[in-house]
Amino acid sequence: MNDKDRRSMPLFSIGIVMKLTELTARQIRYYEENELITPERTSGNQRLFSFNDVDKLLEIKNLLDKGINMAGIKLLLTKEIKSEVSKRVGSDLSDEELRSILRNELKDAGRFGRTSLRQGELSRFFVK
Amino acid sequence: MNDKDRRSMPLFSIGIVMKLTELTARQIRYYEENELITPERTSGNQRLFSFNDVDKLLEIKNLLDKGINMAGIKLLLTKEIKSEVSKRVGSDLSDEELRSILRNELKDAGRFGRTSLRQGELSRFFVK
DNA sequence: AATCCTATGTCAGATTATCTAACATGAATG
DNA sequence: CATTCATGTTAGATAATCTGACATAGGATT
């Protein structure tokens, strides 16, 4: 078994993940609801998280602390959009798909400082 | 946190450990009963196993397959007796403590082949 | 100011997972 | 054949987790 398999192996109950990440069960479930993570399930429907899941949750926690919202985090984590998005930065932000996903925070892309993203962190969102 | 801490960190429920080791819950609990492992507990008294525990369980499984019994495995795993025991091999097996612990399989230390240990594996037990 | 949205808290009722304790058993041993 | 060891099995209790609903604080929107 290789390292990749190990990292995606379902191992941890939600109780353990709560301790590892210092997130509440509610938060973890909510992030799953938003498809930021997709933990496995036991035959009895209980969640089983992998190392990758835990890493993602820690990353989510970080990004939330920085003021980034679910939609943004989803972009950052679920798809390999990072490079794709950064390509667009500086060129054209009016891309329809991007706009629609980020409409809450970024509807007015020109007026930084009036969104929920604090200044200097929007860049963190876009670049890498 | 260092590697040692990580390896002894309580992480896994018994259900997961069952899958990882292919042991039954009964077996795992029995080994704990025999003090081969001492998993942590949740506040609600449910077992939480560490990587070290899982490793030990895999080792136990190996040794049991080789015909070694609980007492022997305990010697091999719980204490760092390996070197201590091997020192005695070839000299004096009548040591009282050793005899009493291994009395079931080794009461008649001279007559190999009549114990539950298959030939060639007794040596494996004693020498490292 | 009134409203809406997002992220999270909290609660209830149901279900799954695990616990201990007891009894059962096949294989090996004496 | 009686015993011991390692394990199976079962029952009843408790812990952990699940989903779904409603509550709410703080920003954003109107």
Side-chain angles (χ1 to χ4, degrees):
Chain A
M1 187 176 49
N2 61 39
D3 217 56
K4 187 173 181 179
D5 293 335
R6 250 183 287 278
R7 292 197 58 76
S8 63
M9 199 171 188
L11 291 177
F12 308 114
S13 68
I14 199 171
I16 291 296
V17 174
M18 289 172 63
K19 284 178 190 158
L20 291 176
T21 62
E22 294 182 283
L23 293 167
T24 66
R26 182 66 169 93
Q27 286 176 300
I28 295 169
R29 296 190 189 114
Y30 184 66
Y31 303 154
E32 181 187 13
E33 207 175 304
N34 282 267
E35 300 174 280
L36 302 187
I37 52 172
T38 51
E40 297 285 315
R41 299 286 182 130
T42 67
S43 56
N45 199 39
Q46 304 203 183
R47 289 172 182 80
L48 281 183
F49 300 82
S50 68
F51 277 106
N52 272 336
D53 291 326
V54 175
D55 281 350
K56 273 194 188 177
L57 287 171
L58 289 172
E59 182 69 10
I60 291 168
K61 204 183 171 193
N62 253 324
L63 296 173
L64 278 176
D65 278 351
K66 298 195 195 318
I68 301 174
N69 71 347
M70 292 289 100
I73 293 172
K74 185 170 180 180
L75 258 195
L76 285 173
L77 291 190
T78 63
K79 317 176 178 181
E80 252 62 348
I81 300 266
K82 303 175 191 178
S83 56
E84 181 136 353
V85 171
S86 60
K87 266 190 300 182
R88 291 172 186 157
V89 173
S91 57
D92 183 11
L93 274 180
S94 69
D95 176 281
E96 179 49 27
E97 183 201 20
L98 186 59
R99 274 181 162 276
S100 76
I101 293 177
L102 300 182
R103 64 189 174 292
N104 269 307
E105 256 62 28
L106 298 176
K107 200 180 292 180
D108 247 327
R111 298 186 294 168
F112 303 111
R114 298 197 46 196
T115 74
S116 72
L117 297 177
R118 274 151 294 184
Q119 192 107 25
E121 297 175 340
L122 191 63
S123 66
R124 204 186 322 258
F125 179 83
F126 280 117
V127 299
K128 190 154 50 324
Chain B
M1 186 179 48
N2 61 36
D3 218 56
K4 187 172 182 178
D5 293 334
R6 251 182 287 276
R7 293 198 56 77
S8 63
M9 199 171 188
L11 292 176
F12 308 113
S13 68
I14 198 170
I16 290 298
V17 174
M18 289 173 63
K19 285 178 190 159
L20 291 177
T21 62
E22 295 182 282
L23 293 167
T24 66
R26 182 67 169 89
Q27 287 176 299
I28 295 168
R29 295 191 189 114
Y30 183 67
Y31 303 154
E32 181 187 15
E33 207 175 305
N34 282 267
E35 299 174 281
L36 302 186
I37 51 172
T38 51
E40 297 285 315
R41 300 285 181 132
T42 66
S43 57
N45 200 38
Q46 304 202 183
R47 289 171 182 79
L48 281 183
F49 300 82
S50 68
F51 277 106
N52 273 336
D53 291 326
V54 175
D55 281 350
K56 274 194 186 178
L57 287 171
L58 289 171
E59 182 70 8
I60 291 169
K61 205 185 171 192
N62 254 323
L63 295 173
L64 277 175
D65 279 351
K66 298 196 194 318
I68 301 174
N69 70 348
M70 291 291 100
I73 294 172
K74 184 170 179 179
L75 258 194
L76 285 172
L77 291 190
T78 61
K79 315 175 180 182
E80 251 61 349
I81 299 265
K82 302 174 190 178
S83 55
E84 182 135 353
V85 171
S86 60
K87 267 190 296 180
R88 291 172 187 158
V89 175
S91 57
D92 183 11
L93 273 180
S94 69
D95 176 74
E96 180 48 29
E97 182 202 22
L98 186 58
R99 275 181 159 277
S100 75
I101 293 176
L102 301 181
R103 63 189 174 293
N104 269 308
E105 256 63 26
L106 297 177
K107 199 180 294 174
D108 248 326
R111 297 186 296 167
F112 301 113
R114 298 199 45 197
T115 73
S116 72
L117 296 176
R118 273 149 296 184
Q119 192 105 26
E121 296 175 340
L122 191 63
S123 67
R124 206 187 317 258
F125 179 82
F126 279 116
V127 300
K128 187 146 55 335

